[in-house]
Amino acid sequence: MEQIEDGSRPPLVSVKGIPLIKYFAESIELLKNFQVWPDDVLISTYPKSGTTWVSEILDMIYHGGDQEKCQRAPIYDRVPFLEFKAPGSRSGMETLQEIPAPRILKTHLPLSLLPQALLDRKIKIIYVARNAKDVAVSYFNFYKMAKVHPDPGTWEEFLETFMTGKVAYGSWYQHVLEWQELSKRHPVLYLFYEDMKKDPKREIQKITEFVGQSLPEDILDRIVQQTSFKKMKENPMANYTTVPNGIMDHSISPFMRKGTTGDWKNTFTVAQNERFDADYEKKMAGSDLHFDMEL
Ligand code: A3P
């Protein structure tokens, strides 16, 4: 990512009906040639749902909790972001060429845009879902600081854009539902950000088992500690401060912003919350997915 000067806020581009960051849209065609390795593990999330947190956790699991080894490179070079592409910078596909097995991959793509080989080869997938209200607030702040996105407008405007699925990567509702559906026929570990907040050790243990590893208690404890919000916020290899200011301006809003559940209450008005809840009920009708909105 080192040479990008300015994200310049291009408008989103629709690919098969899914709005995407313009540069990322350009990589979808190339991704069709993506070569899967059998021990690849894919971390999939709707944006702002805990991707970086789980990425750091899994890299630590693979390195037996060795902090130094996990300091070898920024998170986006340790865990290639499949569809990432931006002018003057190394794409996710290029980063992928440089890392050894076992690879940890990251995507936010909805299923309709995911390279089919990942599904055909039954690659293990860790999906992380986070409650829609905290995602919306986190995404609003991220839009402001990450200049590859269009201008988010006011919070009121952005909330509308979010609810109608016109943000980058489309509808949160469709994303969490379709990946849950996938878990019925594909090896998917479906996790919740809120569960990770409540009991990180239990969730880290689940991830460890899912990738076929086992770690002693003291290492699990160390991973819990090293991947706490406070530690990751201070860690330049995890907090995205290595990305040029023209792309991510942390003075507008840090990437590691609050890391809590229920922060939405500081942004939603009572009227916005009521409208959101009514719309949510309709969009999630018939689903058994339950999200904690506060802890
Ligand atoms: P907030 O903006 O609510 O603080 P992603 O990595 O998918 O882009 O998600 C980013 C969100 O996860 C941000 O949420 C960020 O602060 C939060 N986050 C990152 N690391 C975390 C950690 N170790 N513990 C809790 N939250 C974390």
Side-chain angles (χ1 to χ4, degrees), residues 45-53 108 130 134 138 193 197 227-229 232 255-260 263:
T45 57
Y46 189 83
K48 312 323 290 171
S49 301
T51 333
T52 316
W53 190 8
H108 295 312
R130 185 184 192 188
D134 280 327
S138 181
Y193 178 96
K197 288 296 293 182
T227 59
S228 69
F229 178 74
M232 283 183 58
F255 183 92
M256 296 287 170
R257 196 181 57 93
K258 291 199 176 172
T260 57
D263 176 53

Side-chain angles (χ1 to χ4, degrees), residues 1 9 26 30 82 94 99 138 178 209 250 252 261:
M1 283 194 187
R9 298 202 176 281
E26 293 163 6
L30 299 172
L82 287 185
E94 284 162 344
I99 63 162
S138 181
E178 70 180 23
E209 281 170 24
H250 294 259
I252 297 175
T261 293

Side-chain angles (χ1 to χ4, degrees), residues 31-45:
L31 265 179
K32 289 184 182 154
N33 304 322
F34 169 60
Q35 298 292 315
V36 176
W37 295 354
D39 54 359
D40 284 344
V41 172
L42 178 68
I43 295 173
S44 166
T45 57

